[in-house]
């Protein structure tokens, strides 16, 4: 029991190791958690996520749950062959979504690091871009800021709007440079988003420690 | 224009003459108070010829403060002088130059004194009490108050490992090996016993925060490495204190028992945790006090300084770690105090701290130089050479070994480059010297002191000078110079919540989960107690945004131009055309409104007078000045001074509490334009233009 799952138990796990980069132990632990969440069914649905108590006080809960059901996140490089959201996910999809939070390994070339950065930023981008059109419009960005501030007491809608506007202006001026007064900035494309958060060092920040999970599984 | 060299010479002459005068006066005074009869005699003799003294000379009266001020003035003038010689200040770090100046001054004083009485040298030495009570606290407070909390807590495990285990390893390794060296027949060191060696090891093993700060601040290394080395230098104080007292006690007793060792371990926990506790208590009390300072803004900064200093002193009373207490106090106090105090007080605190810590650091290095010249030295080739070599070797071994273990637990591993910088940045400094000075007077003490000084000189000069080219050579990542933008702030918060959520989905109570819990506890209970008014419920994103607005208002006003800075993109560019009419300005609280209004008014009145003059930012860039874009502003202003085109924007009033309300009450609709130069805060310019018009009308 525990960490010593061999490949013989679940032959598809070795395939998953290659696809997602998790080790066999980590896949085993995540499989246990998947079973726990889905009450031993084969697929997870949104209601299962709603049952997690700690998630209830998270301001961006809805977006996190949606991210699990977004088909764009089911492929390694965020390409969309099938657009839209699904109603239930298998263990494989769960694992692929989780793999976005794997830390980069120690020995990586600059290219690999860039690739990892792109993947993680793509995940964030997909979370913001709720209507799947490839750009984050002002409305969507406003929604993001409103959600962030939603649990902080008084919902000051106007301040949220202004913060989002200021942020959008910044992106526009960084990406587009000079704009005529009657030009219109459609929205943040992925390339602009990537440029914006270039210095953010996301490959070092967006990581979960999958190491000792076997000992700390809660209810 | 006198060259710096001449200036230095003048100062030296001044110092030595003051010194000479002081001793001169002493002598004549001594002669005078011989016998009362003689005095009376001479007085009677002079009675008829003695007129009312129009001008008299009484130096003893002001001697002490005079000397202190002269020393500080000397230190600061040296600092100024270095920056006038650009070539030297690029190669040699300031700390080295200051030590050299100290050596020179010490040499001069000693030379002048050698013809006077040489029974007690009146060269001032780095007195331990002076150092620990007056010179060290400002530096530590400055470091602790402005500690980057996020990086510190993320790497706390690593830092603690380096600080505790690393220092222990260093102490025992150096102590043990030195004992081995002392056993060698040829060195004539046979009388140095194991405990003395261990004591010596514990003094010399600790990385010094003052030296690290002095050197690392100039090389602008990335935040991770900075916080690793600096955090280690702060937290190893507890270990040093315990080891020092332990070995000193033992070397008197002569033997060590198991209970003593066990008590030592307990002592370590008491010292460190007790220090932190004292700091936290004072910090919370200080934060609570700042809640009530609404009507006496002027004394706000003093509370911060006094509470912190009291925390340090209280910890020192019980022989707990004063440094950790000071850091805990600053860290605990800061978020609440900053929410309560006015903007001016915040600026005052920041600049006073920087000023005191800068003066302290300068004085410490100069005194180090002076003390080197003053003190009696016993030079033993073997001892000194082996000390230096062993320090280096043990540091490297310690860092490499510990990193191997630590990397198993870190998400972002430490590369070989990082390890090298951490090992190379282990500088020793004045704390080691002062601790050595505190030793009881044995014949070994002078030998130890000489060795300690040599190690300090070696690390500060050799390592300090070569670390900058090495950093360039190894292409170590430098500090990000740009300020945090609103986008990054949004995404930092977003990422925090996202990672907490994912951890919850995984069912894993990790780092983010506990941080989130702490934040929520902070928000619901602690903030309500310690922050006054409506700011207690203000979410972090909004306070960041307000701070940014404030900063931009000031920047705009201080650039001294009435002309609105034209920008690249304006609100029209990002909003769909039909909703342009509905732009709103957020309503800020009345108190802040008043503050911003007052500040703008006072600054703009000055602007009126110096419309066409240069702004006062023609000085060199002060390294403590945050806004580098002021230079950009100045250039922009000069270039676009010719064209001020006005375009139109639409402001609608939604409520009379906002600034816009002010503007619209004047019935004014402002013109504003996008121009050709790049400026990404057009919206702020918009609002500021509103204020400007309001105030001028």
């Amino acid at each position: 029991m525990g960490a010593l799952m061999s490949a013989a138990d679940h032959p598809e796990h070795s395939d998953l190791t290659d696809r997602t980069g998790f080790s066999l132990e980590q896949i085993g632990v995540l499989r246990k958690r998947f079973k726990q969440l889905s009450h031993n069914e084969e697929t997870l649905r949104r209601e299962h996520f709603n049952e997690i108590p700690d998630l209830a006080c998270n301001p961006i809960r809805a977006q996190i749950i949606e991210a699990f059901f977004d088909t764009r996140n089911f492929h390694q490089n965020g390409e969309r062959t099938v657009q839209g959201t699904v109603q239930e996910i298998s263990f494989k999809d769960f694992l692929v979504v989780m793999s976005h939070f794997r830390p980069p390994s120690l020995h990586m070339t600059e290219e690999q690091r860039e690739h990892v950065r792109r993947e993680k930023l793509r995940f964030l981008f997909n979370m913001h871009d709720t209507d799947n059109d490839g750009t984050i419009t002002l409305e969507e960005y406003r929604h993001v800021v409103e959600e962030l501030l939603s649990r902080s007491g008084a919902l000051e809608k106007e301040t949220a709007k202004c913060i989002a506007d200021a942020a959008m202006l910044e992106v526009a001026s960084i990406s587009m440079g000079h704009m005529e007064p009657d030009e219109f900035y459609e929205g943040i494309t992925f390339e602009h988003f990537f440029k914006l958060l270039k210095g953010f060092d996301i490959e070092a920040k967006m990581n979960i420690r999958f190491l000792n999970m076997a000992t700390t599984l809660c209810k | 224009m006198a060259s710096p060299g001449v200036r230095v010479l003048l100062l030296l002459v001044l110092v030595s003459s003051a010194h000479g005068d002081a001793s001169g006066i002493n002598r004549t005074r001594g002669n005078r108070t011989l016998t009362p009869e003689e005095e009376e005699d001479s007085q009677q003799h002079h009675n008829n010829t003695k007129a009312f003294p129009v001008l008299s000379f009484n130096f003893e009266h002001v001697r002490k403060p005079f000397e202190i001020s002269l020393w500080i003035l000397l230190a600061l003038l040296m600092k100024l002088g270095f920056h006038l010689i650009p070539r030297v200040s690029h190669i040699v770090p300031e700390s080295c130059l200051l030590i050299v100046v100290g050596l020179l001054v010490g040499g001069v004083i000693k030379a002048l004194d050698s013809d006077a009485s040489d029974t007690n040298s009146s060269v001032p030495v780095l007195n331990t009490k002076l150092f620990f009570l007056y010179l060290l606290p400002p530096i530590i407070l400055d470091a602790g108050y402005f500690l980057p909390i996020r990086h510190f807590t993320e790497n706390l495990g690593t830092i603690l490992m380096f600080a505790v285990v690393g220092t222990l390893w260093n102490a025992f390794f150096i102590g043990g090996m030195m004992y081995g060296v002392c056993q060698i027949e040829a060195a004539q060191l046979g009388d140095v016993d194991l405990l003395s060696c261990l004591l010596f090891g514990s003094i010399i093993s600790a990385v010094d925060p003052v030296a690290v700060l002095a050197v690392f601040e100039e090389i602008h290394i990335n935040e991770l490495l900075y916080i690793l080395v600096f955090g280690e230098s702060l937290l190893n104080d507890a270990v040093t204190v315990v080891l020092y007292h332990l070995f000193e006690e033992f070397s008197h007793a002569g033997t060590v028992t198991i209970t003593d060792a066990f008590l030592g371990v307990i002592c370590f926990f008491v010292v460190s945790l007790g220090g932190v506790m004292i700091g936290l208590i004072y910090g919370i009390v200080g934060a609570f006090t700042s809640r009530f300072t609404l009507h006496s803004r002027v004394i706000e900064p003093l509370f911060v300084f006094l509470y912190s200093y009291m925390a340090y002193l209280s910890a020192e009373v019980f022989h707990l770690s004063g440094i950790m207490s000071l850091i805990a106090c600053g860290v605990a106090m800061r978020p609440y105090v900053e929410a309560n105090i006015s903007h001016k007080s915040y600026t005052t605190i920041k600049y006073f701290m920087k000023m005191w810590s800068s003066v302290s650091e300068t004085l410490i290095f100069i005194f180090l130089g002076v003390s080197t010249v003053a003190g009696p030295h016993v030079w033993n080739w073997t001892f000194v050479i082996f000390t230096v070599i062993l320090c280096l070797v043990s540091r490297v071994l310690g860092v490499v070994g510990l990193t191997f273990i630590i990397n198993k637990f870190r998400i972002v591993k430490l590369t070989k480059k990082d390890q090298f910088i951490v090992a190379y940045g282990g500088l020793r400094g004045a704390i080691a010297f002062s601790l050595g000075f505190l030793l009881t007077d044995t014949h070994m003490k002078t030998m130890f002191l000489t060795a300690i000084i040599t190690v300090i000189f070696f690390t500060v000069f050799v390592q300090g000078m070569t670390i900058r080219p090495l950093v360039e050579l190894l292409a170590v990542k430098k500090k990000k110079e740009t300020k945090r933008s609103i986008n990054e702030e949004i995404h930092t918060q977003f990422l925090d919540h996202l990672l907490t959520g994912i951890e919850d989905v995984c069912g894993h109570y990790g780092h983010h989960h506990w941080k989130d819990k702490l934040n929520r506890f902070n928000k619901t209970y602690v903030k309500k107690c310690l922050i006054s008014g409506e700011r207690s419920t203000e979410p972090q994103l909004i306070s960041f945004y307000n701070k940014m607005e404030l900063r931009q208002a000031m920047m705009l006003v201080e650039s001294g131009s009435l002309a609105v800075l034209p920008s690249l993109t304006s609100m029209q560019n990002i909003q769909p055309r039909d909703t342009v009419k509905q732009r709103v300005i957020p309503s800020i609280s009345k108190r802040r409104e008043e503050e911003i209004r007052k500040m703008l008014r006072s600054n703009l009145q000055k602007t009126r007078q110096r419309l066409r003059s240069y702004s006062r930012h023609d000085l060199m860039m002060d390294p403590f000045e945050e806004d580098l874009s002021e230079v950009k502003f100045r250039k922009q202003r000069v270039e676009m001074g010719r064209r001020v085109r006005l375009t139109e924007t639409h402001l609608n009033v939604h409520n009379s509490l906002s600034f816009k309300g002010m503007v619209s009450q004047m019935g004014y609709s402002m013109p504003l334009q996008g121009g050709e130069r790049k400026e990404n805060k057009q919206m702020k310019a918009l609002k500021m233009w509103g204020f400007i018009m309001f105030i001028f009308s």
Side-chain angles (χ1 to χ4, degrees):
Chain A
M1 181 71 178
L4 296 171
M5 295 207 109
S6 64
D9 295 341
H10 295 266
E12 70 268 20
H13 280 195
S14 47
D15 168 50
L16 284 173
T17 319
D18 300 325
R19 271 198 73 191
T20 59
F22 282 123
S23 72
L24 283 175
E25 292 101 289
Q26 287 168 339
I27 295 182
V29 171
L30 283 171
R31 174 134 204 122
K32 262 200 327 208
R33 179 63 179 168
F34 184 85
K35 278 217 189 102
Q36 202 178 39
L37 283 176
S38 68
H39 306 295
N40 280 325
E41 292 173 30
E42 280 305 313
T43 57
L44 266 183
R45 286 188 296 279
R46 288 194 176 81
E47 307 87 71
H48 297 132
F49 280 101
N50 288 335
E51 287 165 1
I52 305 176
D54 294 311
L55 211 50
C57 33
N58 200 316
I60 55 170
R61 193 183 109 213
Q63 276 121 318
I64 297 179
I65 298 181
E66 275 312 305
F68 275 95
F69 293 92
D70 189 347
T71 46
R72 285 177 296 176
N73 295 327
F74 292 167
H75 307 272
Q76 279 306 92
N77 40 12
E79 276 171 18
R80 325 162 245 149
T81 51
V82 178
Q83 294 203 21
T85 56
V86 292
Q87 290 307 312
E88 46 185 34
I89 53 172
S90 65
F91 178 60
K92 196 179 72 171
D93 303 324
F94 181 75
L95 213 55
V96 172
V97 171
M98 282 301 188
S99 72
H100 286 100
F101 294 93
R102 238 172 21 91
S105 60
L106 185 54
H107 309 285
M108 268 188 150
T109 65
E110 194 50 48
E111 215 179 274
Q112 284 171 322
R113 206 173 280 277
E114 173 105 358
H115 180 72
V116 167
R117 199 180 304 156
R118 236 168 222 277
E119 252 183 63
K120 294 188 195 269
L121 282 177
R122 185 90 218 175
F123 187 84
L124 277 187
F125 187 81
N126 289 342
M127 280 186 85
H128 294 326
D129 182 20
T130 43
D131 59 358
N132 288 359
D133 63 353
T135 54
I136 305 178
T137 60
L138 186 60
E139 276 309 314
E140 286 168 343
Y141 213 27
R142 277 187 187 156
H143 184 69
V144 171
V145 179
E146 270 166 24
E147 287 293 304
L148 267 183
L149 294 175
S150 62
R151 300 277 164 160
S152 325
L155 175 59
E156 296 160 20
K157 250 191 139 69
E158 289 165 14
T159 322
K161 247 197 194 154
C162 264
I163 294 178
D165 290 347
M168 198 73 178
L169 258 178
E170 200 186 62
V171 182
S173 45
I174 289 179
S175 333
M176 301 290 281
H178 170 59
M179 283 181 89
E180 293 302 322
D182 49 356
E183 266 185 80
F184 180 57
Y185 181 60
E186 294 292 335
I188 313 179
T189 62
F190 180 64
E191 287 308 314
H192 294 168
F193 192 69
F194 186 74
K195 198 161 126 187
L196 181 71
L197 292 180
K198 218 171 171 50
F200 197 52
D201 212 17
I202 197 157
E203 68 269 16
K205 291 192 180 155
M206 189 164 143
N207 298 314
I208 297 281
R209 207 182 283 273
F210 286 108
L211 206 54
N212 304 317
M213 278 172 51
T215 51
T216 55
L217 274 181
C218 60
K219 29 183 169 28
Chain B
M1 187 60 184
S3 77
V6 177
R7 209 182 298 170
V8 170
L9 220 49
L10 276 173
L11 273 161
L12 289 176
V13 170
L14 195 58
V15 167
S16 53
S17 69
H19 199 78
D21 273 332
S23 40
I25 289 292
N26 267 335
R27 267 182 253 125
T28 49
R29 268 283 177 85
N31 286 338
R32 250 187 179 276
T33 52
L34 273 178
T35 49
E37 295 99 335
E38 276 187 38
E39 216 179 289
E40 226 182 282
D41 267 342
S42 49
Q43 213 171 32
Q44 263 189 349
H45 175 70
H46 291 289
N47 222 351
N48 30 5
T49 54
K50 190 164 176 239
F52 183 76
V54 173
L55 199 62
S56 53
F57 189 84
N58 183 1
F59 188 65
E60 273 307 305
H61 188 53
V62 294
R63 178 173 176 190
K64 205 155 171 63
F66 194 88
E67 284 191 349
I68 295 177
S69 309
L70 208 55
W71 273 110
I72 298 183
L73 199 56
L74 170 74
L76 296 177
L77 285 169
M78 288 300 111
K79 231 175 137 78
L80 268 188
F82 295 147
H83 287 286
L84 294 177
I85 324 172
R87 254 178 304 130
V88 180
S89 56
H90 270 298
I91 306 174
V92 185
E94 213 173 78
S95 40
C96 303
L97 292 171
L98 289 169
I99 293 187
V100 169
V101 168
L103 286 172
L104 284 173
V105 171
V108 166
I109 296 183
K110 188 155 191 178
L112 287 175
D113 245 15
S114 58
D115 29 287
S117 60
D118 51 358
T119 43
N120 66 337
S121 154
S122 46
V123 178
V125 190
L126 190 58
N127 185 333
T128 307
K129 186 169 126 181
L130 171 73
F131 177 72
F132 276 114
L133 290 185
Y134 299 112
L135 290 181
L136 189 60
I139 303 182
I140 303 293
L141 179 61
D142 180 38
Y145 198 77
F146 294 110
L147 199 65
I149 288 297
R150 186 172 271 268
H151 289 278
F152 188 71
T153 46
E154 274 173 19
N155 295 299
L156 193 57
T158 316
I159 294 177
L160 278 175
M161 271 290 261
F162 277 128
V164 177
V165 181
T167 313
L168 280 173
W169 156 259
N170 274 349
F172 282 105
F173 184 75
I174 295 179
M177 297 299 268
M178 285 313 293
Y179 183 60
V181 165
C182 291
Q183 301 301 90
I184 301 176
E185 285 301 320
Q188 303 149 3
L189 291 166
D191 49 351
V192 182
D193 59 326
L194 179 62
L195 279 173
S196 306
C197 280
L198 284 175
L199 182 58
F200 177 70
S202 71
I203 297 178
I204 200 99
S205 62
V207 177
D208 185 80
V210 179
V212 165
L213 258 181
V215 168
F216 269 55
E217 208 151 295
E218 296 186 2
I219 60 179
H220 298 298
I221 210 164
N222 68 51
E223 283 113 357
L224 172 66
L225 287 177
Y226 172 77
I227 200 68
L228 280 180
V229 182
F230 186 61
E232 179 196 344
S233 68
L234 288 176
L235 295 186
N236 66 17
D237 181 58
V239 182
T240 314
V241 163
V242 171
L243 279 180
Y244 180 79
H245 286 292
L246 212 65
F247 287 131
E248 224 199 354
E249 289 291 321
F250 291 163
S251 65
H252 288 308
T255 52
V256 187
T257 63
I258 296 292
T259 34
D260 288 330
F262 187 60
L263 282 175
V265 171
I266 305 233
C267 185
F268 165 70
F269 282 109
V270 167
V271 161
S272 48
L273 292 176
V276 169
M277 195 94 76
I278 291 188
L280 281 179
I281 295 176
Y282 272 99
I284 301 288
V285 174
F288 190 65
T289 315
S290 74
R291 188 180 164 179
F292 302 107
T293 55
L294 189 56
H295 299 289
S296 31
R297 292 288 189 194
V298 188
I299 56 173
E300 275 174 338
L302 268 180
F303 280 118
V304 172
F305 297 132
L306 286 174
Y307 275 111
S308 315
Y309 195 45
M310 293 282 285
Y312 180 78
L313 293 175
S314 311
E316 287 289 323
V317 166
F318 299 103
H319 273 304
L320 303 174
S321 166
I323 290 185
M324 292 184 81
S325 162
L326 205 47
I327 304 271
C329 184
V331 164
M333 220 196 260
R334 185 179 177 198
Y336 309 109
V337 162
E338 283 195 356
N340 280 328
I341 59 178
S342 72
H343 187 78
K344 281 194 189 155
S345 300
Y346 170 71
T347 314
T348 311
I349 291 180
K350 185 168 105 162
Y351 279 102
F352 255 88
M353 269 199 216
K354 298 274 180 212
M355 179 186 86
W356 267 327
S357 71
S358 180
V359 169
S360 275
E361 194 181 293
T362 316
L363 277 175
I364 286 178
F365 283 116
I366 289 190
F367 272 123
L368 211 52
V370 172
S371 313
T372 312
V373 174
H377 289 298
V378 172
W379 181 270
N380 185 314
W381 276 102
T382 339
F383 194 77
V384 171
I385 302 273
F386 267 100
T387 308
V388 174
I389 296 179
L390 280 175
C391 276
L392 285 174
V393 165
S394 82
R395 176 83 182 156
V396 169
L397 285 179
V399 168
V400 169
L402 281 176
T403 317
F404 182 69
I405 303 176
I406 288 172
N407 268 346
K408 294 208 200 305
F409 297 100
R410 277 180 71 89
I411 299 185
V412 178
K413 320 267 183 211
L414 293 174
T415 62
K416 287 241 180 317
K417 259 195 259 180
D418 297 334
Q419 291 175 39
F420 176 74
I421 297 289
V422 171
Y424 207 67
L427 308 173
R428 312 311 201 261
I431 290 188
F433 180 77
S434 310
L435 283 177
F437 218 73
L438 268 180
L439 286 174
T440 46
D441 258 323
T442 59
H443 64 282
M444 288 181 282
K445 173 178 166 181
T446 40
M447 188 169 71
F448 285 172
L449 267 182
T450 315
I452 292 175
I453 289 188
T454 317
V455 173
I456 295 178
F457 271 47
F458 181 80
T459 55
V460 172
F461 278 92
V462 174
Q463 286 179 241
M465 271 202 266
T466 54
I467 202 168
R468 197 204 293 258
L470 276 173
V471 161
E472 305 281 335
L473 196 67
L474 293 173
V476 179
K477 223 164 40 157
K478 291 276 184 93
K479 184 157 77 160
K480 219 171 45 140
E481 282 304 335
T482 55
K483 202 175 275 302
R484 247 185 14 163
S485 68
I486 185 100
N487 273 302
E488 292 192 348
E489 179 69 23
I490 291 177
H491 280 100
T492 312
Q493 300 242 331
F494 190 82
L495 210 54
D496 271 343
H497 290 299
L498 175 64
L499 290 173
T500 313
I502 297 284
E503 277 192 356
D504 290 333
V505 169
C506 284
H508 171 55
Y509 283 153
H511 179 76
H512 294 276
H513 180 91
W514 294 116
K515 203 160 71 153
D516 190 59
K517 268 212 158 75
L518 187 66
N519 277 337
R520 264 186 284 138
F521 173 72
N522 192 15
K523 210 187 319 194
T524 25
Y525 298 112
V526 186
K527 274 196 181 168
K528 291 229 169 63
C529 283
L530 298 179
I531 301 184
S532 66
E534 69 279 350
R535 290 208 60 186
S536 54
T537 49
E538 198 177 58
Q540 197 191 344
L541 192 57
I542 296 188
S543 28
F544 179 84
Y545 178 67
N546 283 335
K547 261 197 218 154
M548 216 175 67
E549 292 236 307
L550 210 59
R551 217 187 301 139
Q552 303 216 325
M554 293 204 328
M555 243 169 37
L556 188 65
V557 156
E558 280 177 1
S559 70
S561 164
L562 268 193
V564 170
L565 300 153
S567 80
L568 251 25
T569 52
S570 69
M571 278 309 295
Q572 304 157 273
N573 292 121
I574 63 172
Q575 264 181 336
R577 217 142 288 155
D578 47 78
T579 57
V580 156
K581 286 206 172 29
Q582 285 151 25
R583 240 181 43 78
V584 295
I585 290 183
S587 55
I588 312 186
S589 75
K590 259 213 139 31
R591 197 173 63 148
R592 292 193 131 212
E593 205 181 299
E594 262 317 300
E595 240 185 284
I596 295 185
R597 208 185 289 207
K598 237 193 309 186
M599 184 174 46
L600 281 173
R601 198 174 300 144
S602 64
N603 279 320
L604 285 172
Q605 280 166 359
K606 286 189 234 142
T607 308
R608 237 191 280 226
Q609 287 134 29
R610 49 179 179 84
L611 250 184
R612 298 284 170 214
S613 62
Y614 278 119
S615 83
R616 55 188 158 77
H617 299 294
D618 279 349
L619 288 177
M620 296 226 321
M621 203 45 67
D622 176 4
F624 298 134
E625 191 66 66
E626 283 181 343
D627 287 324
L628 299 175
S629 47
E630 291 199 35
V631 179
K632 227 174 30 178
F633 258 61
R634 194 165 26 103
K635 289 201 196 130
Q636 277 180 17
R637 194 175 61 90
V638 166
E639 275 183 49
M640 56 88 162
R642 299 169 216 139
R643 7 165 149 177
V644 180
R645 284 180 282 154
L646 306 175
T647 63
E648 318 228 293
T649 192
H650 311 282
L651 295 174
N652 284 325
V653 184
H654 275 242
N655 55 36
S656 51
L657 278 184
S658 70
F659 288 118
K660 245 184 14 183
M662 265 164 28
V663 171
S664 74
Q665 273 164 20
M666 310 303 303
Y668 196 87
S669 147
M670 291 175 16
L672 207 261
Q673 182 204 29
E676 307 214 341
R677 300 289 310 176
K678 180 175 167 134
E679 162 51 41
N680 56 1
K681 303 289 187 272
Q682 171 66 353
M683 199 168 64
K684 315 300 178 290
L686 227 153
K687 285 178 232 164
M688 297 317 133
W689 185 245
F691 308 152
I692 293 167
M693 282 298 125
F694 166 70
I695 287 161
F696 279 177
S697 49

